[in-house]
Structures are given as structure tokens and as C-alpha cells.
Amino acid sequence: MASDEDNVLVGVIGGSGLYHLDNLTFVKQVNPKTPWGYPSSPISICSLPSGVKVAFLARHGLHHSFSPSAVPSRANIAGLKSLGVRAILAFTAVGSLREEISPGSFVIPTQIIDRTKGIRPSSFFEGTKIVAHAQFGDPFSMKFVRWLEDKVEKALAEDGKGIVLHKDKCVIAMEGPQFSTRAESIMYRAWGGDLINMSALPEAKLAREAELSYALIATATDYDSWRPHSESVTTAEVFKTLQQNADTSKKVAAAILDELHSAALEGDLLSEEAGSMRFSIMPRKGEQDPEDLQKLAYVLPEYFPIDQD
């Protein structure tokens, strides 16, 4: 675990094309070894002009070496929490399933439909003899989301490019690494999906288990494969808008991180998740596996205190 001087309240996870943030002064890199291995990249602790520290992690590695299915999400979330992080602002590239969400648009989703295939570890409790059922009806932290909407909208307006922010949308989390078939893309639209992405899960589930506030800023790069008489999505098409979206994401982050830190410090923004796992962990009787307790204490020390004797 990090020393007190390294503690930061806000962590940023960068998605495809977003491998660092501007307007920050690099302080140091840390690479915490968690019970689930190392994060996908060393975590950069950086200072805002105000002196406030934030932590930045590249979801796919500094050189995009992790496919969506292979991202060590448990280590990423656990590593950020070990530094004192309480709120995670995650960025991700998405495909659009709606005409009005054009490439270049920003979206803050509020719902997820899980279309991953069960091959990604999605719980800190997997592999232990302790069972927990976290609440996940609202997969993103709604107080955080509502706070974020106004701030992102303002930052986009000040950037002056006319980029639209869409709210209250549903993201389909698919396995990949291949893109959707046309039939799947049309089906997801019929289900009520507005966006499609390969990274929202298990990240959001793990943040909930770790009692961290988590919100996602999604940036549309393409129209997936549902549009008739249009080419299906390709990596080449995605790259056309990826860098532009990343540049705008850096500006948005620079505009809101100070305020986010202040809001997190006040506490109400984080109140939904604090203590939420207390009633999610099934009652335990009998002998406990010390290794299980040690592992879970890394992310939930309040419920799994380690005997120091």
C-alpha cells in the first residue's frame, strides 16, 4: 500500500487513444502489486496546477498491449484503491447505435447490458470461499454522474467545437475483440442499447465491489454495423476520430479534475458507495481461509481486518 503522502482521491482511467493527460505535472509512477497481479500500466501520480494530486492509469497499457478481454481489471481497481482513490473517472471509446450520437459525440451512460462471455474475472470474491452479491441496478454512481453532466457540458461548450453531450444512455458491453455482426448490431438497438463498447465491464462491477464511485465518459468513434447501405465498422474508421476525441477528453479532464477533487473531499458525492458492501457479503460462519481474508482485505479492509498479532 502507498504511504499517506501518495494518497489521492481521484483516479482517471484512460481508454483507447488516451494514454496520458495534459495540464498535469508528473510526480512519480507507482506499480502496486495487488493480490490480482499488477495493473495494466504503472499508475502515474500527477499534480494539477493547484497542487491537487490525481492518479492516471492506461486501461490497455501504455502501448495498447492488452485486448479488452485481457485487461487486468481487478488489479487496476485494487491498485487505484490502494493509493487512496475514492472516485474513478473512466474514459472509453464506443460505437454508436443511434443516428443522433454521431462520431465525435460525448456520452455519459447510466445503464449497461452485459454481453461479455464470462471469461473476464468480474468479482474480487471469485476464487474465494466468501460470497457477495453487490447491488448493481444502477451500474454507475448516480450522484457522480449527475454532478459530472453539468461540468462536462460546460467544458465542451468552452472548448467551442460544438461537441454534443448525450445523457442517460445505455451501453452494450460486448466481448470482442471482433466488432459486431450486422445482425447483432441491429439486435442491440432493438434491446434499447445506445452505445457499444468492450471495456465498461467488469470495470464498473469491480469499482462497486471496492466501494468506489465510478462514472464513464464515452466518446463515439463510429456507427458500429447497423446502418443500412453503410460499411461495417473497421479499425481504420475508428482511428479517424480516436485522436480528436482523445484531445477533447484531455481538455475536459483538465477543466473538471480540480472541482472533482473538491467535491470528493466534501464527501456527499461519494456517499452512495460508502458502506454499500456491508449488506452484500453473505454471513460467514466457521473457519475462514486466511488467504481469502488477506486478499479481500486489500480492497475491503473495513470488512476483512487482518489480525496483526
Side-chain angles (χ1 to χ4, degrees):
M1 298 294 228
S3 63
D4 289 342
E5 67 179 15
D6 292 327
N7 278 0
V8 291
L9 285 176
V10 175
V12 178
I13 297 179
S16 298
L18 187 62
Y19 306 110
H20 66 276
L21 293 178
D22 295 338
N23 199 36
L24 298 177
T25 301
F26 176 80
V27 176
K28 66 189 293 184
Q29 271 190 344
V30 293
N31 196 22
K33 184 179 181 180
T34 79
W36 301 275
Y38 289 99
S40 50
S41 77
I43 300 171
S44 295
I45 298 175
C46 303
S47 176
L48 295 166
S50 64
V52 165
K53 290 180 182 176
V54 298
F56 179 83
L57 169 66
R59 180 187 291 114
H60 297 284
L62 295 176
H63 305 289
H64 207 108
S65 51
F66 289 96
S67 75
S69 302
V71 170
S73 295
R74 290 188 294 185
N76 289 349
I77 300 299
L80 286 170
K81 183 161 186 182
S82 76
L83 300 177
V85 165
R86 297 280 310 283
I88 294 176
L89 177 60
F91 288 85
T92 188
V94 296
S96 169
L97 297 173
R98 302 294 165 186
E99 191 70 41
E100 66 272 18
I101 305 176
S102 57
S105 297
F106 273 51
V107 189
I108 299 179
T110 51
Q111 278 298 324
I112 305 174
I113 294 175
D114 189 354
R115 283 287 291 167
T116 60
K117 297 177 180 176
I119 63 176
R120 310 180 187 193
S122 60
S123 173
F124 290 112
F125 293 84
E126 287 182 30
T128 75
K129 295 178 181 178
I130 298 171
V131 177
H133 300 282
Q135 294 182 0
F136 207 58
D138 293 306
F140 301 100
S141 304
M142 292 309 298
K143 283 189 176 182
F144 188 5
V145 164
R146 297 307 181 207
W147 181 94
L148 201 57
E149 288 170 343
D150 292 339
K151 305 300 184 294
V152 172
E153 213 158 33
K154 180 182 175 183
L156 290 173
E158 290 175 351
D159 193 39
K161 293 179 185 154
I163 295 174
V164 175
L165 175 67
H166 298 269
K167 309 169 188 176
D168 290 308
K169 299 303 181 183
C170 177
V171 58
I172 305 285
M174 67 175 289
E175 191 59 60
Q178 298 84 5
F179 294 122
S180 308
T181 66
R182 289 188 185 277
E184 288 170 334
S185 194
I186 292 167
M187 178 182 71
Y188 296 146
R189 280 168 48 83
W191 284 0
D194 302 297
L195 314 166
I196 187 159
N197 160 266
M198 301 177 191
S199 300
L201 295 176
E203 208 169 81
K205 288 183 177 180
L206 294 166
R208 181 61 51 84
E209 283 191 349
E211 294 190 344
L212 299 179
S213 294
Y214 178 91
L216 191 69
I217 295 180
T219 58
T221 57
D222 58 85
Y223 275 118
D224 203 49
S225 301
W226 60 271
R227 295 171 100 201
H229 314 301
S230 294
E231 293 295 321
S232 59
V233 61
T234 66
T235 301
E237 182 184 357
V238 168
F239 279 136
K240 289 179 184 178
T241 53
L242 197 61
Q243 192 55 55
Q244 176 187 329
N245 288 352
D247 290 342
T248 305
S249 295
K250 291 174 187 177
K251 292 176 182 176
V252 168
I256 68 175
L257 284 176
D258 244 323
E259 285 186 271
L260 176 53
H261 173 84
S262 297
L265 202 58
E266 289 173 8
D268 184 60
L269 191 71
L270 313 178
S271 60
E272 284 178 303
E273 285 65 46
S276 62
M277 288 299 291
R278 182 179 305 278
F279 305 107
S280 298
I281 301 166
M282 299 300 288
R284 306 185 302 279
K285 294 180 181 179
E287 214 172 301
Q288 300 296 313
D289 187 329
E291 289 188 12
D292 289 351
L293 299 177
Q294 186 81 34
K295 181 184 290 189
L296 293 169
Y298 194 90
V299 286
L300 293 169
E302 302 87 349
Y303 312 124
F304 299 98
I306 299 300
D307 189 353
Q308 300 297 324
D309 295 334

